[in-house]
Amino acid sequence: MPVFADNPYNPNPVTKLFATILFGVTVLYQMNIYFEWAAIIILSFVFYKNNLKKEAVSNIVIFGILCLLPNIEVIEKTNIVIKMFLMVLVAYRIFYFPVASGLLFIKTSDVGSIISSMDALKFPKEVSIPIAVMFRFFPSFREDRQNVKLAMKVRGIACRNPVSYLEYVTVPLLIMSSNISDDISKAAETKCIGNPIKKSRYIPVRIKAIDYIYAVLIIAVVAGGLIW
Amino acid sequence: MSSNDKKLKVKDLVLIGIFTVIYFVVMYGVGMMGMVPILFLIYPTVLGIVTGPILMLFMAKVQKPFSLFILGILSPLLMFIMGHTYILLVHSILIMVIAELIRRAGKYNSFKHNMFSFGVFNAWICGSLMQILFVRERYMEMTTTMMGEEYASGLERLVTYPNMALVYLGAIVGGIIGALLGKLLLRKHFEKAGIV
């Protein structure tokens, strides 16, 4: 996983979370189209500066396509399957901003900075430990799933009967995961995670210039878009 | 059990994290069927049946207060970070409190209570549909200009409060079926392997 902490264009997780929550308002109220594009450009700029060039371009392209949607009157006469597909796109258009901002959050935050910002926000440890474990466990879970698929192939189990498929996949996965959970708990205990003292973090949460700029720009765009 | 054993320890918290990941991945896998608009009305039911075994194993492993509550809050929290609205979060917290109270009534180890608790737990996903209901006016406006009156009114008739009640009922029934399925799997595999 790349380390973003020293990038001057990467806002800290608290700011990004704040932006996502603010964008949640746009689900309920339609923003002005020019301000929508301003928001898209800000998001793309931050993507681009964090070395996520593909996301930066696709952000603009996808929103551009979504903008074209309601103008096409030909769609009305197409058949029901295409209509259904387009309905999903309409829903996607409504939820686009929070989703894009959430993607930015996930893609540009590493586990260390998320944990220390949870500390800064005074999350209880009952929530912050499971979240930390989740980030640690996601990649290894994907690996395990591949292993189960491979094992099924080796034994010649290719049936797509959903009920037995469910059993063949979930049972080994659950057993593997239970074992991994034991391992992680042991590792965590040795690192004294249960010790109720103030902890120092490897990656501290710092407030940089970009945090102010990003927050102010997002507030301006959302407020402006709603007023106009 | 003494009161000290009833507190969540690091081991339990790690387990909560891991089961949230499994739950989340399975949820997204099943969620692919939500791409077809009619199917997302039965999505909660299917989700309950599929995730039943996972949650039943979890409840068998961690029989402590608030374990289910925390697990249930984490996935909406993750979805909230990834761009859903606060409606989903508030709705889930309400659902989880009810589920936790049912589990408490069974002292956390009664299968019958756990089963009903999971049924209620499973209803949290209806929150994502409630969001659409909440932004209905806007959605309908866009739909009407795009799809024409007929389709829009058809959809409007489909996504209503009485129909939502049916979806909730479906979610609870699906959850109970999933729980029974989970009991079967638990007996068949996990007890033998010494996981529970």
Side-chain angles (χ1 to χ4, degrees):
Chain A
M1 185 179 262
V3 174
F4 300 99
D6 51 353
N7 187 337
Y9 288 100
N10 188 11
N12 69 41
V14 182
T15 317
K16 279 181 276 194
L17 192 61
F18 170 73
T20 308
I21 293 169
L22 206 60
F23 274 130
V25 180
T26 65
V27 173
L28 300 179
Y29 305 99
Q30 170 76 48
M31 281 209 307
N32 181 299
I33 183 79
Y34 298 110
F35 283 92
E36 281 188 325
W37 275 106
I40 288 291
I41 287 166
I42 295 169
L43 283 174
S44 274
F45 180 76
V46 179
F47 269 128
Y48 179 77
K49 279 294 181 188
N50 282 292
N51 262 337
L52 295 163
K53 298 195 174 75
K54 213 178 89 196
E55 280 79 3
V57 175
S58 71
N59 183 33
I60 293 179
V61 172
I62 289 175
F63 190 72
I65 293 170
L66 288 178
C67 271
L68 291 177
L69 265 181
N71 301 332
I72 310 166
E73 269 131 21
V74 192
I75 293 169
E76 211 178 292
K77 293 175 185 66
T78 53
N79 69 16
I80 190 81
V81 177
I82 299 176
K83 265 188 193 177
M84 277 185 176
F85 174 68
L86 288 167
M87 288 306 296
V88 175
L89 287 184
V90 171
Y92 187 48
R93 168 83 161 80
I94 295 178
F95 288 98
Y96 186 78
F97 281 101
V99 170
S101 157
L103 185 73
L104 181 78
F105 178 88
I106 299 286
K107 288 261 178 183
T108 62
S109 312
D110 48 322
V111 187
S113 66
I114 290 177
I115 293 173
S116 31
S117 40
M118 280 193 295
D119 274 1
L121 290 175
K122 302 260 186 306
F123 268 51
K125 86 169 200 292
E126 278 76 17
V127 177
S128 65
I129 293 178
I131 290 180
V133 171
M134 277 164 72
F135 278 98
R136 148 76 178 74
F137 184 60
F138 252 116
S140 76
F141 182 73
R142 206 173 293 155
E143 224 167 78
D144 281 348
R145 215 177 45 176
Q146 288 300 324
N147 288 342
V148 170
K149 269 188 193 156
L150 196 69
M152 280 171 74
K153 217 181 251 172
V154 168
R155 286 167 181 74
I157 304 170
C159 74
R160 278 280 169 173
N161 176 0
V163 178
S164 52
Y165 185 76
L166 189 72
E167 188 181 340
Y168 294 149
V169 175
T170 48
V171 171
L173 266 186
L174 286 175
I175 291 181
M176 274 182 190
S177 316
S178 301
N179 291 339
I180 293 177
S181 103
D182 287 345
D183 289 348
I184 296 181
S185 339
K186 278 174 211 155
E189 286 291 2
T190 21
K191 285 173 185 166
C192 241
I193 205 170
N195 196 359
I197 51 160
K198 194 179 179 335
K199 294 180 179 64
S200 56
R201 297 290 182 197
Y202 188 61
I203 303 169
V205 191
R206 266 185 308 246
I207 297 175
K208 292 170 287 192
I210 183 74
D211 287 301
Y212 291 112
I213 299 170
Y214 187 63
V216 167
L217 276 178
I218 297 294
I219 291 172
V221 163
V222 172
L226 293 180
I227 290 166
W228 257 273
Chain B
M1 238 185 238
S2 69
S3 67
N4 203 25
D5 286 344
K6 283 277 172 197
K7 265 184 123 177
L8 288 172
K9 296 205 187 82
V10 173
K11 186 170 174 284
D12 307 315
L13 295 176
V14 169
L15 212 66
I16 290 174
I18 282 181
F19 272 83
T20 311
V21 171
I22 301 175
Y23 185 78
F24 202 71
V25 169
V26 172
M27 193 183 89
Y28 259 86
V30 181
M32 287 300 145
M33 67 181 265
M35 292 303 262
V36 184
I38 309 300
L39 282 184
F40 63 48
L41 293 174
I42 58 160
Y43 169 52
T45 316
V46 178
L47 183 74
I49 295 172
V50 175
T51 55
I54 301 172
L55 263 287
M56 289 320 279
L57 176 64
F58 172 76
M59 286 199 250
K61 275 181 83 91
V62 188
Q63 300 180 348
K64 291 179 182 174
F66 295 111
S67 51
L68 188 70
F69 181 80
I70 296 171
L71 184 120
I73 292 302
L74 282 177
S75 356
L77 204 67
L78 209 65
M79 281 167 87
F80 179 66
I81 292 172
M82 281 167 27
H84 282 253
T85 51
Y86 60 90
I87 302 165
L88 183 73
L89 200 61
V90 174
H91 175 268
S92 313
I93 290 174
L94 283 176
I95 294 281
M96 293 313 153
V97 168
I98 300 171
E100 182 68 33
L101 286 177
I102 295 175
R103 249 195 121 194
R104 171 170 299 217
K107 299 216 161 38
Y108 300 96
N109 54 15
S110 129
F111 173 75
K112 213 176 14 179
H113 285 86
N114 281 355
M115 181 175 84
F116 283 116
S117 174
F118 177 64
V120 174
F121 171 93
N122 194 40
W124 78 269
I125 194 71
C126 301
S128 65
L129 283 173
M130 289 300 272
Q131 289 184 123
I132 295 184
L133 213 62
F134 218 77
V135 291
R136 187 160 133 187
E137 249 94 273
R138 231 191 107 189
Y139 192 70
M140 284 306 151
E141 207 176 282
M142 290 177 94
T143 315
T144 316
T145 52
M146 206 176 97
M147 298 295 183
E149 284 290 331
E150 207 176 303
Y151 186 93
S153 62
L155 195 80
E156 197 158 15
R157 254 181 282 131
L158 202 64
V159 184
T160 53
Y161 285 100
N163 279 4
M164 279 312 289
L166 276 181
V167 173
Y168 274 88
L169 197 71
I172 293 173
V173 170
I176 290 173
I177 295 172
L180 291 171
L181 204 71
K183 193 187 180 188
L184 244 122
L185 281 183
L186 277 183
R187 203 169 280 160
K188 191 172 166 195
H189 297 285
F190 298 109
E191 280 172 12
K192 242 187 287 172
I195 298 287
V196 181

